[in-house]
Amino acid sequence: MKITEKPVAFYPEFVRKSGPHKETTHYCPGCGHGNIHKMIAEAMVDLGINERTVFISPVGCSVFGYYYFDCGHMQAAHGRAPAVATGIKRANPEAIVISYQGDGDLAAIGTAETLHAANRGENITVFFVNNAIYGMTGGQMAPTTMIGQKTATTPRGRIETVHGNPIRMAEIIATLPAATYVERVAIGDSKHIMKARKAIRKALTNQVENRGYSFVEILSTCPTGWKMDGPDARDWLVEEMTKVFPLGVFKDESDHREGAWHRHVETFEPAKRDAYLGAGEAEAKAEKLPLPAELHCKFAGFGGQGVLTLGLFLAQVGMRAGLHASWIPSYGPEMRGGTANCSVNLSERRIGSPLVDRPNLLVVMNQPSLEAFTGEVVEGGTIIVDTSVVENCPELPGRRVVRIPATGIADEVGTPKVANVVLLGAICAATGAFPLAFVEQSLRETVKKKDLVDLNLAALRRGYEHVRDAV
Amino acid sequence: MSRKFMKGNDAIVVGALQAGCRAYYGYPITPASEIAHAASLHFPALGGTFIQAESEVAAINMVYGTAGMGIRTMTASSSPGFSLKQEGLSYIAGAELPCVVVNVSRGGPGLGNIAPEQADYFQVTKGGGHGNYRLIALAPNCAQEMCDLTVLAFDLADTYRNPVCILADGFTGQMMEPVNVPLARPVPFDHTSWCVRGDAATHRNLISSIYLESADLERHNLKLDEKYRRIARDEVRFEEYQVEDADLIVVAFGIVSRIVYSTVDQARAQGLKVGLLRPITLWPFPSDRIAELSRRDVRFLSAELSTGQMVEDVRLAVEGRAPVHFYGRCGGMVPGSEELLAEYGKILEGGRS
Ligand code: SF4
């Protein structure tokens, strides 16, 4: 097939194009894009993939790719095509995704997206049209502009020490282990074009065969941007550009990547999701336990003592009792210095603020917490103190202070780690909020490791009895 | 339904899965990271997709790609990350793609801190990115709503082919509450007419936001505008508590609405007739209801975790018919009950605009 013929994946008439001339492309005469488009369309037809293909139009002269190709199209923001391609391919691995990008799009604003899509080894095909200039925006410097090349923003030519050097993307991509195939071609003379056509076909074949990420850099002409006529542009491309951007294959693992990048998408059955999340399970026995008084609690101590978990235990017991319950860890300076605290509310009514600024139950497991929070406890409130850790605990008028050597008791039970469960027992006895048996049952369900259940139950009981007997 | 004690952030993922969201793309940031943690566990386990993107910018563009395939998809972040998503959101709105974006907001501007704030209100409700567009913005105030409003968000996104934002805050993200896990539903939307799935049925479709001809772009914008008017008419959601006879109506959303809720009864016990109006949709804003309430002898107070953002919408709705006051804290400071009660007292005693 001669490249002057239109493959069927190329629309015979460009109806999406604005203006009257529906048979001509919008590209300037002598521009490389037209040839590259035709070679891609030709490969799409030969591989029988045009209906499966999603072509991503970048920002730049080729933003109107959708005028020409008879396939699905998504137009992406400048530089973001590889990310969009990722989203497409992951949603439907059967789709053939082409990311067609210019040098600004791929090597400047979209460098991160380019490298990372390649690094993930997305099973996509990237055609990188490198014409060493920003065409559409009016001939400014590109990351690939040559040293000495004059552009609208390098009027005296690109200078290495001012503007940096032309970036060789093919070489960079080739260093990434996940990339399958990286080649640089050119559309200079007919020999070059033959090679380019082969590379384009190979890059698409790789995707069809699920061989992973393919990257073809195509040196292309921009007579308008370069301020040259067509033949001069072609000569400059062949003579100057190929010196800086050598042609050739930089990486090719196409042969031993067979099918490795096919990522299967399973059906997303509702029944499967329900089973996985436990939705629709028979509701845990809806015991409705009356709460003698609303609890607005603060639990505070050192990080690692289990104060946050203690709050969580209590809140979960509340939920099992059919109550409204909330738990929230603290933000702010108390979080630093290893001190942690959380707020828990239990109520028969809807809970307003989950934050407790005036607790009626304060449980403290260290001295700083006692000092920080006792002043906030409301009149008639209860303060439970782990006296194994907190030594100075004065009487507080109007507040009930419950002293329990929780960490010591936990040690006797087996490990200081269950001091928080000892305190849970103490809370039950001190507040009368829940019957011991109910909390025992909750704990059985909450503690994940079965061999720890007995230890926890013993700790709970000891804490409960200690307070009950002291009363 | 079954009841589980879970974090607001986790409840978002549960809601998303049950809504049929199949792909999550995101970048870690406090205090939204648990959403990514849960997504990385659950989406692949169910045969869906999770990718930790290289940036927030990449994540929202992955969402763009998957949304263009007609598949439910989402991303989540917190304030600085949400800023990075603005470019993508403008494109997604322009191309009329459905998706859900969560912003578990924190203190700013700039890096700010990781404590909760509501100062992204302007950004979320007024567009944020370039061009004429709107996000539907939902503001949950409890873990159950983090789940349920996520389900709703996907339905709204599909109905209107528009991105929907869930604007939560660090508190609603981090707190744990019982959540009734809703049953999973098949997705009832067929997007064949516009999506690009990479198959024969959709291969003539085009997803784009480019309209080079001025007249075309104007037409497109007017079409979008017509859609936003429909949304503004049909999708306003709010909750009221004790507003009927209130002398002072406190307007608050998210975590602040919870704190205000706690204070309404306390205020009434002190003889102050206070009520709460909580916008659930921040855009569209319940302006009509506020306008209606403003036609009687009443005062409004906008209470926010910001230096004053939503208050502007309250003022617009009130149109000078009633005094509108503002009370805000920021940087992670939250108003306590006593502080709010004092404020109510001050306003009702004589008024201070
Ligand atoms: S400006 Fe350059 S790249 Fe763009 S269409 Fe014209 S010749 Fe081609």
Side-chain angles (χ1 to χ4, degrees):
Chain A
M1 191 187 285
K2 288 202 195 83
I3 60 161
T4 46
E5 286 171 17
K6 278 183 187 168
V8 297
F10 215 64
Y11 285 126
E13 198 186 341
F14 310 129
V15 291
R16 281 168 169 157
K17 186 167 169 274
S18 56
H21 304 295
K22 301 287 186 191
E23 284 84 28
T24 55
T25 70
H26 75 290
Y27 295 112
C28 311
C31 172
H33 279 300
N35 282 344
I36 299 169
H37 280 20
K38 272 189 232 161
M39 289 192 276
I40 292 171
E42 191 186 297
M44 278 164 58
V45 174
D46 290 353
L47 294 169
I49 54 169
N50 61 309
E51 289 189 340
R52 280 170 68 194
T53 299
V54 181
F55 187 97
I56 305 170
S57 304
V59 171
C61 291
S62 47
V63 67
F64 298 113
Y66 57 86
Y67 288 171
Y68 309 116
F69 295 97
D70 183 12
C71 65
H73 289 272
M74 278 197 217
Q75 183 257 311
H78 205 191
R80 317 301 175 219
V84 174
T86 301
I88 296 169
K89 194 70 184 184
R90 298 295 179 117
N92 179 14
E94 304 300 324
I96 300 299
V97 186
I98 296 177
S99 181
Y100 185 103
Q101 299 177 263
D103 34 41
D105 189 74
L106 185 133
I109 199 166
T111 321
E113 285 85 351
T114 296
L115 289 181
H116 286 272
N119 194 46
R120 283 189 301 269
E122 297 295 339
N123 185 28
I124 60 171
T125 305
V126 178
F127 293 123
F128 169 34
V129 181
N130 175 1
N131 57 18
I133 204 156
Y134 284 181
M136 191 188 223
T137 44
Q140 299 88 350
M141 184 187 77
T144 48
T145 291
M146 317 274 281
I147 297 296
Q149 189 182 340
K150 288 188 176 161
T151 70
T153 48
T154 53
R156 290 177 192 85
R158 182 175 192 163
I159 301 161
E160 179 182 357
T161 51
V162 178
H163 309 106
N165 288 293
I167 292 184
R168 299 183 177 98
M169 286 308 290
E171 285 85 339
I172 292 172
I173 302 274
T175 65
L176 301 173
T180 297
Y181 167 57
V182 183
E183 180 166 358
R184 183 182 290 119
V185 296
I187 46 163
D189 55 31
S190 56
K191 216 175 84 206
H192 287 140
I193 289 177
M194 295 267 285
K195 276 207 169 143
R197 184 189 286 143
K198 246 182 78 193
I200 284 169
R201 185 167 313 224
K202 176 162 184 164
L204 284 171
T205 307
N206 277 348
Q207 188 178 169
V208 172
E209 294 174 356
N210 299 310
R211 293 177 198 274
Y213 181 91
S214 298
F215 180 92
V216 180
E217 177 170 340
I218 306 159
L219 303 184
S220 177
T221 47
C222 176
T224 308
W226 297 352
K227 303 199 178 5
M228 295 179 193
D229 62 19
D232 283 353
R234 214 164 37 240
D235 291 347
W236 190 78
L237 183 157
V238 174
E239 280 153 32
E240 300 302 321
M241 275 187 82
T242 53
K243 279 187 207 153
V244 177
F245 300 107
L247 305 183
V249 177
F250 294 91
K251 184 172 188 192
D252 187 3
E253 298 184 354
S254 311
D255 286 346
H256 45 279
R257 289 276 178 109
E258 195 168 355
W261 297 100
H262 184 71
R263 293 178 167 97
H264 182 63
V265 171
E266 285 175 50
T267 54
F268 216 59
E269 297 299 335
K272 196 162 125 189
R273 284 178 273 149
D274 283 342
Y276 179 82
L277 293 171
E281 272 171 11
E283 190 144 344
K285 254 185 285 138
E287 292 180 62
K288 273 252 177 194
L289 293 183
L291 190 67
E294 285 192 1
L295 285 178
H296 305 288
C297 330
K298 195 125 201 170
F299 299 89
F302 291 119
Q305 282 178 311
V307 274
L308 299 186
T309 318
L310 170 58
L312 204 53
F313 277 147
L314 184 69
Q316 282 172 301
V317 170
M319 180 183 79
R320 282 196 68 252
L323 298 169
H324 292 271
S326 72
W327 173 94
I328 188 166
S330 78
Y331 275 97
E334 314 90 70
M335 249 167 87
R336 293 192 281 273
T339 301
N341 80 71
C342 65
S343 297
V344 170
N345 289 285
L346 293 178
S347 172
E348 291 179 13
R349 304 184 335 136
R350 178 174 164 184
I351 292 164
S353 175
L355 304 155
V356 175
D357 45 5
R358 301 298 310 270
N360 59 13
L361 174 66
L362 171 69
V363 180
V364 288
M365 293 183 78
N366 68 5
Q367 196 75 40
S369 300
L370 181 86
E371 278 147 26
F373 296 116
T374 35
E376 295 174 2
V377 176
V378 295
E379 278 232 21
T382 303
I383 303 168
I384 300 180
V385 182
D386 181 355
T387 51
S388 311
V389 191
V390 183
E391 280 160 12
N392 296 319
C393 178
E395 285 301 322
L396 292 154
R399 279 86 177 158
R400 175 181 169 210
V401 179
V402 176
R403 296 176 169 80
I404 174 170
T407 307
I409 293 174
D411 244 340
E412 286 167 32
V413 170
T415 162
K417 281 188 183 151
V418 290
N420 57 355
V421 185
V422 174
L423 286 166
L424 182 65
I427 291 167
C428 293
T431 63
F434 306 104
L436 183 63
F438 182 80
V439 183
E440 284 177 343
Q441 188 50 36
S442 303
L443 214 53
R444 271 192 206 100
E445 287 168 20
T446 316
V447 176
K448 293 277 174 334
K449 284 198 189 123
K450 287 297 153 230
D451 48 326
L452 295 180
V453 170
D454 285 343
L455 189 72
N456 276 280
L457 290 178
L460 180 78
R461 249 172 262 136
R462 288 286 303 274
Y464 184 85
E465 283 158 10
H466 184 94
V467 174
R468 183 196 60 193
D469 298 345
V471 170
Chain B
M1 285 200 195
S2 78
R3 226 162 133 75
K4 296 210 153 63
F5 202 68
M6 65 174 84
K7 253 190 192 186
N9 279 345
D10 291 327
I12 282 189
V13 174
V14 168
L17 288 170
Q18 296 304 69
C21 174
R22 238 174 57 187
Y24 180 100
Y25 306 98
Y27 188 81
I29 182 167
T30 308
S33 292
E34 290 91 351
I35 304 178
H37 301 172
S40 69
L41 188 65
H42 301 319
F43 277 75
L46 287 162
T49 297
F50 168 87
I51 294 183
Q52 181 168 324
E54 57 270 29
S55 67
E56 290 295 0
V57 178
I60 191 71
N61 281 283
M62 290 175 189
V63 164
Y64 179 101
T66 295
M69 306 292 276
I71 283 171
R72 288 192 162 182
T73 178
M74 73 183 295
T75 182
S77 189
S78 181
S79 308
F82 190 76
S83 291
L84 291 174
K85 293 191 190 293
Q86 298 308 319
E87 173 201 77
L89 284 170
S90 170
Y91 276 75
I92 290 172
E96 294 196 83
L97 299 180
C99 71
V100 172
V101 186
V102 181
N103 180 359
V104 183
S105 65
R106 64 185 232 185
L111 200 47
N113 64 18
I114 59 166
E117 252 191 32
Q118 297 178 324
D120 296 354
Y121 179 92
F122 281 156
Q123 192 183 29
V124 169
T125 62
K126 312 289 180 197
H130 59 282
N132 292 302
Y133 81 92
R134 293 285 191 168
L135 300 178
I136 299 173
L138 302 171
N141 79 350
C142 61
Q144 185 68 56
E145 279 192 352
M146 291 289 257
C147 178
D148 295 347
L149 293 184
T150 302
V151 177
L152 174 68
F154 278 101
D155 284 349
L156 291 174
D158 274 329
T159 303
Y160 296 103
R161 283 176 58 189
N162 204 68
V164 177
C165 177
I166 296 184
L167 179 59
D169 54 67
F171 284 125
T172 36
Q174 298 298 319
M175 75 181 161
M176 293 181 85
E177 290 181 312
V179 172
N180 290 321
V181 178
L183 286 173
R185 296 174 314 156
V187 180
F189 293 87
D190 176 14
H191 294 318
T192 311
S193 67
W194 59 265
C195 78
V196 173
R197 280 196 303 257
D199 62 13
T202 64
H203 88 284
R204 291 263 153 83
N205 290 344
L206 163 67
I207 287 169
S208 163
S209 56
I210 185 169
Y211 296 88
L212 220 49
E213 303 292 331
S214 301
D216 291 345
L217 184 55
E218 186 181 52
R219 212 174 299 122
H220 178 60
N221 269 289
L222 292 176
K223 189 184 122 204
L224 289 179
D225 189 55
E226 198 276 321
K227 172 168 88 177
Y228 298 137
R229 281 168 200 276
R230 250 187 305 135
I231 296 171
R233 191 190 62 210
D234 297 341
E235 301 299 345
V236 176
R237 286 169 172 79
F238 57 89
E239 186 198 351
E240 292 178 348
Y241 182 59
Q242 309 260 33
V243 297
E244 284 310 328
D245 64 340
D247 295 325
L248 175 67
I249 296 173
V250 187
V251 185
F253 69 97
I255 187 65
V256 184
S257 69
R258 296 280 296 260
I259 303 170
V260 172
Y261 178 85
S262 286
T263 61
V264 168
D265 293 340
Q266 292 166 335
R268 285 184 178 254
Q270 293 177 14
L272 301 174
K273 282 196 200 162
V274 176
L276 163 69
L277 189 146
R278 167 172 82 103
I280 296 172
T281 48
L282 298 177
W283 193 86
F285 193 69
S287 308
D288 289 352
R289 178 59 180 156
I290 289 175
E292 191 184 326
L293 291 167
S294 71
R295 290 195 171 83
R296 60 182 211 221
D297 185 19
V298 69
R299 290 173 175 274
F300 290 89
L301 168 66
S302 186
E304 305 170 46
L305 299 185
S306 77
T307 53
Q309 299 199 2
M310 179 175 68
V311 63
E312 294 190 4
D313 283 335
V314 178
R315 283 203 189 103
L316 280 173
V318 166
E319 287 181 313
R321 284 178 295 266
V324 176
H325 307 261
F326 170 72
Y327 190 77
R329 299 293 305 264
C330 46
M333 302 302 292
V334 278
S337 310
E338 282 160 23
E339 191 178 338
L340 281 173
L341 286 166
E343 192 65 21
Y344 304 161
K346 234 188 309 179
I347 292 169
L348 287 173
E349 263 160 35
R352 176 181 64 85
S353 265

